[in-house]
Amino acid sequence: MVETTSTAPAPLPLNKRGRGGGRATTRSAGWTAALPLLVFIGLAFGIPAVALLGGAFTANGTLSTANLTESLQGAYLTAMLSSVKLSALVAVVGAVLGTFLAQAVVTSRFRALREAVLTASGVLANFGGVPLAFAWIATLGNSGVLTTRLGLGDLGWNLYSFWGLVLVYLYFSIPLMVLVIVPALDGLRPQWREAAQNNGATTWQFWRYVGIPVLTPTLLGGVVLLFGGAFAAYATAAAMVGTVVPLVTLQIADALAGNVLIGHENVALALSLDMVVVAGVVMAVYLPLQRRSARWLR
Amino acid sequence: MNGAQVEFRGLRRTFGTTVALDGLDLTVAPGELIALLGPSGCGKTTALRCVAGFETPDQGAVLLDGEDITRVPANRRDAGMVFQSYSLFPNLNARDNVAFGMRVRKVPTARRHARAAELLELVGLPSHGDRYPHQLSGGQQQRVALARALALEPRVLLLDEPLSALDAKVRVTLREEIRRLQLSLGITTIFVTHDQEEALSVADHVAVLREGRLEQSGPPAEIYDRPATPFVAEFVGTMNHLPGRLSGDLVEVAGQRLPVHGDRPGTPEVDVLVRPETVLVTPGEDGDALIVTSSFRGASVRLLLRLGDGTEIVADLPGHDAARFALGGRANVRLVERPVLVAARTPAAAAEAVSA
Amino acid sequence: MAALTPAALPDVEPPARSGGRGRRGGIWRGVVLVVAALYFVTPLLASFVFTVNDPMTGFTLDAYGEIFTAEGFAQSLLLSLGLAVATIVLVLVLTLPAMLAVRLSAPRLRPVLEVLCTLPLVVPPITFVAGISTVLRWGPDYLAATPFYQTIISIQNPAFPVVLVIAYAVLALPFVYRALDAGLGAMDVRTLVEAARNCGASWPVVLLRVIVPNLKSGLASASFLTLALVLGEYTIARLLGFQPFSVWIVTISGANAPLSVAVSIFSLLLTWLLLLVLSTAGTRRSRS
């Protein structure tokens, strides 16, 4: 008995090798097809990344952490904190408002409204950069149409401020959130709401125990996406506030343009590294949260 | 727990221009399982949703033990519901799904879990409490949904085609289990289905609906053997449509004269409705029927025969007779002497009966 | 246990509730939609008013006329469109075969590809450009004696800066990957390919006649996202000193406020138009 059972699997490896031999060609073909992309990423993304890393740790031609230390002090630190605060605020507010808007659209009876909002979201989510800043300056800037007509200037309104930036950043963040959350809202089956009601739950209880938990993975993903978008934004802020509101992207651009002391050119690279690290930390917080909130999916 | 009496009184509900319910009157006795049977769009699901509170009728009322509940919000009704499919909350495991109603009512956790375990045991899934819905098979999901519907000990159980998304085999076992459970709990149950076999096999009463109205209600055997209308006859089981001619109280069909049961149309030319199992076939070289097709089904064999005048007729015979009827052979056909239903003549129905 | 039900369902609410909820839901939805419409439409309307309202002469469309006559308009717009087309082609040619290969024969490569294609999301463009400019600055110093030197110089040709195409392709990777992944997920690639191969189709035929037509909507959305990205991208182009449309807008506007806003509206409309063209092209072809 023992003999037979131990010899029984013997043909299997042979078999496998036989099949594997046939597959090997397709597998190598697969690698060949993927190779250009891998090489491209390695060159186009890898070389700048290495240069960045090397530069950030090089000061006056020698290996040093001086740049990094400097990038975490004084005005640079203020700018970084301000960037993080702005992005976090935009991300959370944008996610909440975007979800409400999406829910209003998804539950609407009008099919055309849904299509219109989704198309508009697709365009507005990509409406960033300088044009966005100009549009808002024309609207609520110091001589903007609304500012002058409604006399907002006398009321202390100032677009070129932290809150002004929040208002403007939400303009592309909310549509982005709508695009992210609509499929998830569509996925909420009407049976769940009815089953909850059938078990005595109120509307609020349905959302509390079922709706929001089911949406959480998508909501978290949206928050992270919005954070990343706001954190990386440079053109809008540059056109709007110049250096009135300190932001890390403005500091990097400034340093890259050469507005630093001799020998401190690589501070820009250190600041860039800081940004990547912040983005990495956000990911490191997000991924376990995401996994936890989506454990029922696995 | 005891079942309640459910009464539909003149229920009417329209969606835009579609009339889903058109004055439905029906009473379900306490503790009985009634099957609402009909083609899609007949209003059976709408009727069920009126009991659950997901639909409000435009006219009429739903009474529970004589009490009008038409305007009671869905989350305050005393009726547990099992949906067609995918109704389990995906973010909760089986235990928490079952305990959902108790959680909403703030029942202490320990008691909630104990009760959920009890219910999962009742539906045959004692060790599946920790599984999430996507880790359960379709049949298991419906069992959990059943446990959830029973968790609050409702006086009425509502089943909205709970088996239609399942495999044939699971469908049969689960429906038998539902019946067993329903009998032991004595809970009034309304079972919506479009599957006549399902309705006939589990229900105390079958109510056939057509275009928002009750067509016939009665015990399964009565519905099958004595359908009140051609529609019921057609919908429940398989039917032959044979050309016949009325004369007096009798109808002339396939060379025989049979008594007529039920209404008769104005014209003498009619379709006579005959069940395949009431067609008697005997092999014989001189027979006037040709055996066109034969499909063996184990316990029975279904033959399609062509009569001398070109009429096609379907007959069900015991399976062990199959060998006696060779394809292309000839046979004699007779109909069992009993009252038959007749309907206004419709063209070419025999072929449909075969595919049904 | 038996006490649960009667205690829990003691009273019957007045009938008004279920009807009331629907109405309340309607009001809630209306408020959200109106506020959103105000927020999103106001800047567009106000900008338009700003551009056509001259404090001296009243209504005028001069600002829009100036766009087309301003120096470098056609040149920068063409450059942007050229960059967009080149980027779309490059990124699709690189990703599509790789993603197909991952689905067909190298599934173990999939997580690698996914991570690599998501990485650019974590890296803000400004840090990316910091890295690129370092390479471009240092490259000549170290590579002066090698053939790479010529390459470094030629990819920075202001008439058509290939370096921007490369950078934009990297930035577009996450979006293209998502769009194509969704498209490929919606069709059974393996069966399609096997069926086509079984009918004797060669690999190029499989790709162009079977995969591409079925992937139309995925390709269309990947193309649109890349297009929008390239047209709107400012940071990298500006900091590397090139002048595509997005940078040109800023350079010409200078002190002329109505002109700069007019150009902004123009660029938004342009994006909108291209989206419409792409989406109708996608649906029309898939319908036929």
Side-chain angles (χ1 to χ4, degrees), chain C residues 49-175:
Chain C
V49 170
F50 187 84
T51 54
V52 297
N53 187 22
D54 190 297
M56 306 296 170
T57 57
F59 182 84
T60 167
L61 283 173
D62 286 355
Y64 291 91
E66 276 179 61
I67 299 178
F68 303 100
T69 53
E71 192 199 335
F73 165 76
Q75 198 186 345
S76 65
L77 187 57
L78 284 177
L79 175 59
S80 270
L81 291 175
L83 288 172
V85 170
T87 308
I88 291 170
V89 170
L90 175 67
V91 79
L92 288 181
V93 164
L94 286 173
T95 45
L96 192 54
M99 293 186 67
L100 278 177
V102 158
R103 276 177 184 266
L104 291 174
S105 55
R108 266 185 299 170
L109 207 55
R110 190 174 179 158
V112 179
L113 211 59
E114 187 161 351
V115 168
L116 283 179
C117 288
T118 315
L119 265 185
L121 267 191
V122 188
V123 178
I126 193 145
T127 65
F128 188 41
V129 76
I132 295 176
S133 64
T134 309
V135 175
L136 294 183
R137 203 150 12 91
W138 290 4
D141 298 346
Y142 294 102
L143 303 171
T146 69
F148 291 110
Y149 180 71
Q150 272 310 314
T151 317
I152 289 266
I153 299 302
S154 63
I155 62 171
Q156 297 185 68
N157 176 5
F160 193 81
V162 176
V163 65
L164 282 187
V165 174
I166 295 171
Y168 292 165
V170 170
L171 291 188
L173 269 181
F175 306 105

Side-chain angles (χ1 to χ4, degrees), chain B residues 64-350:
Chain B
L64 195 67
D65 273 345
E67 188 187 340
D68 187 346
I69 58 160
T70 320
R71 306 273 158 195
V72 177
N75 60 350
R76 288 164 179 267
R77 294 203 184 186
D78 199 2
M81 180 148 166
V82 177
F83 296 81
Q84 193 167 351
S85 59
Y86 305 118
S87 72
L88 293 184
F89 307 125
N91 60 317
L92 302 179
N93 60 26
R95 182 187 309 111
D96 291 339
N97 258 287
V98 175
F100 183 83
M102 292 179 269
R103 184 171 177 189
V104 164
R105 273 150 220 235
K106 311 227 162 23
V107 176
T109 312
R111 239 174 87 202
R112 216 159 66 198
H113 282 183
R115 173 89 176 112
E118 208 174 287
L119 283 156
L120 284 173
E121 177 123 28
L122 192 68
V123 297
L125 296 172
S127 57
H128 292 65
D130 291 323
R131 303 253 185 111
Y132 286 98
H134 76 102
Q135 297 166 321
L136 298 168
S137 70
Q140 290 171 335
Q141 289 186 24
Q142 290 304 73
R143 283 165 194 264
V144 175
L146 183 64
R148 182 177 67 183
L150 292 170
L152 295 174
E153 304 192 16
R155 286 184 292 165
V156 183
L157 179 62
L158 306 173
L159 308 172
D160 184 10
E161 308 214 17
L163 308 174
S164 62
L166 305 177
D167 297 342
K169 205 154 195 175
V170 181
R171 202 150 59 202
V172 172
T173 43
L174 195 50
R175 84 181 179 212
E176 277 158 11
E177 262 182 77
I178 288 175
R179 175 58 163 167
R180 189 177 46 75
L181 209 61
Q182 184 266 335
L183 284 174
S184 73
L185 296 173
I187 185 171
T188 311
T189 302
I190 305 179
F191 190 148
V192 162
T193 178
H194 63 264
D195 181 338
Q196 39 101 6
E197 188 201 332
E198 205 166 276
L200 296 177
S201 61
V202 297
D204 294 305
H205 267 84
V206 175
V208 182
L209 268 61
R210 179 195 188 186
E211 288 166 6
R213 265 188 240 239
L214 185 64
E215 191 84 356
Q216 184 181 5
S217 161
E222 184 183 311
I223 296 283
Y224 188 81
D225 289 332
R226 292 193 299 282
T229 64
F231 175 81
V232 175
E234 198 61 53
F235 194 75
V236 178
T238 309
M239 271 296 178
N240 281 298
H241 286 234
L242 304 176
R245 196 180 163 78
L246 286 173
S247 65
D249 285 347
L250 302 177
V251 62
E252 217 170 289
V253 56
Q256 283 175 268
R257 293 165 77 89
L258 300 174
V260 174
H261 157 75
D263 294 341
R264 50 198 76 181
T267 54
E269 300 295 329
V270 291
D271 270 2
V272 180
L273 306 181
V274 175
R275 295 255 181 237
E277 65 269 25
T278 63
V279 178
L280 303 172
V281 187
T282 46
E285 278 312 309
D286 55 342
D288 68 339
L290 175 73
I291 300 169
V292 180
T293 65
S294 159
S295 67
F296 183 64
R297 304 177 169 199
S300 68
V301 58
R302 173 162 291 186
L303 303 179
L304 174 66
L305 304 116
R306 188 175 302 130
L307 302 182
D309 59 359
T311 311
E312 293 196 328
I313 187 166
V314 174
D316 281 352
L317 309 172
H320 55 76
D321 279 351
R324 298 167 60 204
F325 300 96
L327 220 54
R330 301 205 74 88
N332 287 302
V333 170
R334 274 193 63 77
L335 305 178
V336 175
E337 298 275 350
R338 55 185 265 174
V340 290
L341 275 172
V342 296
R345 177 74 56 88
T346 54

